[in-house]
Amino acid sequence: MKALVYEGPGRIALQDRPDPVIQAPGDAVVRLVKTTICGTDLHILKGDVPTCEPGRILGHEGVGVVEAVGSAVSDFKPGDRVLISCITACGKCDYCKRGMYSHCTTGGWILGHRIDGTQAEKVRIPHADGSLHHLPPGVDEEALVMLSDILPTGYECGVLNGQVQPGSTVAIVGAGPVGLAALLTAQFYAPAQIIMIDLDDHRLEVARQFGATHVLNSGRDDVVAGARALTGGRGVDTAIEAVGVPATFTLCEDLIGAGGTVAVLGVHGVKVDFHLERLWSHNITLRTRLVDTVTTPMLLKTVVAGTLQPGQLITHHFALADIMNAYQTFGAAAANHTLKVIISP
Ligand SMILES: NC(=O)c1ccc[n+]([C@@H]2O[C@H](COP(=O)([O-])OP(=O)(O)OC[C@H]3O[C@@H](n4cnc5c(N)ncnc54)[C@H](O)[C@@H]3O)[C@@H](O)[C@H]2O)c1
Ligand SMILES: [Zn+2]
Ligand SMILES: [Zn+2]
């Protein structure tokens, strides 16, 4: 089969690889129908994720058709159309039983990281019963690719961890696919204000279309003064950090109001300053999280109901044969007005 292989920092290539086979009783082999590229794949390509070794097939998102299952798989059979979760869950270990699938002792984020992933014609999925979801009939399968990772990430790590409440004020720093996913799912709770902050005017315009009540460009505007003016001088109730650099963590510390919650969703590679000298008396909560995808069944229901329209996040389409171009387009997102790209094997 054809597969996109990480060859070391700065190097990826489309290679011919053997088809995956069942290795354990809980495995399924899935033929990909649609997959995509994540910001995290770009982190791997930069060499930021040393646990991902050269030779690895990348990708942790996708929808497909089950081709084969191991003897212990009870919920899926060949021919089933499935959504692949970016997080692999055994369902039995201590972490899984607490809903912390991201820390599953024999799973977690392994797909396209520690085992071969979805940017290929086929993929092996360990713990298939805990890591696949049946596709609801009658919904756009392509749009459901957004539920493999970015929508549960925006919702769980941003909105739930950020304790977004009806009538509250929310700032989201970073209007990439993940920040926009937080914007879409924050609206489940009807906050009074959602202030979207980015450096890219096009993404801010998209955020406005997706329901942001205010947008601020941190390359141009005095964002802290702007947010204070919008919140009667108090600062926001929830600040969601969806970039992953020290400057945006500091910005969240400057934006948060007394009693508020900072939810860190960005993948951070270096240390940040935590301003306890200002924040100790402000009753703030700081929360971090690796996505668990424990809310995927609920998010699927909101898509079926039409409350959530994840297809809005898709801007480009490529064939698997053209995946190198897809990486280039996704990597230069600002120049190409890219959000999520769909790749069809
Ligand atoms: N916690 C998790 O489980 C989890 C899961 C998936 C992704 N992530 C992380 O979420 C983050 C966002 O992912 P994405 O795919 O949307 O990334 P992205 O790179 O597409 O988006 C980041 C956005 O931040 C903006 N930005 C950069 N510097 C900025 C600054 N100084 N001020 C304001 N805006 C700035 C960029 O213009 C861009 O729009 C990444 O760090 C990614 O690795 C975390
Ligand atoms: Zn991802
Ligand atoms: Zn487990």
Side-chain angles (χ1 to χ4, degrees), residues 36-41 59-61 86 109 148-150 153 178 291 340:
T36 183
I37 306 171
C38 179
T40 305
D41 297 320
H60 49 265
E61 299 158 277
C86 66
W109 175 43
S148 286
D149 175 356
I150 61 168
T153 295
V178 171
V291 65
K340 287 295 266 189

Side-chain angles (χ1 to χ4, degrees), residues 26 40 43 53 73 104 107 123 135 152 156 166 186 190 197 227 239 291 299 307 330 341 343:
T40 305
H43 279 297
E53 291 176 354
V73 176
C104 174
V123 63
L135 290 189
E156 294 173 11
I197 298 158
V291 65
L299 292 169
T307 321
F330 186 68
V341 301
I343 295 155

Side-chain angles (χ1 to χ4, degrees), residues 88-97 101 103-107 127:
T88 301
C90 77
K92 294 175 181 165
C93 72
D94 181 49
Y95 286 118
C96 281
K97 286 191 169 163
Y101 302 156
H103 287 69
C104 174
T105 52
T106 54
H127 301 313

Side-chain angles (χ1 to χ4, degrees), residues 175-196:
V178 171
L180 291 170
L183 167 65
L184 291 173
T185 53
Q187 292 168 67
F188 293 161
Y189 296 91
Q193 292 180 344
I194 309 179
I195 306 162
M196 206 77 189

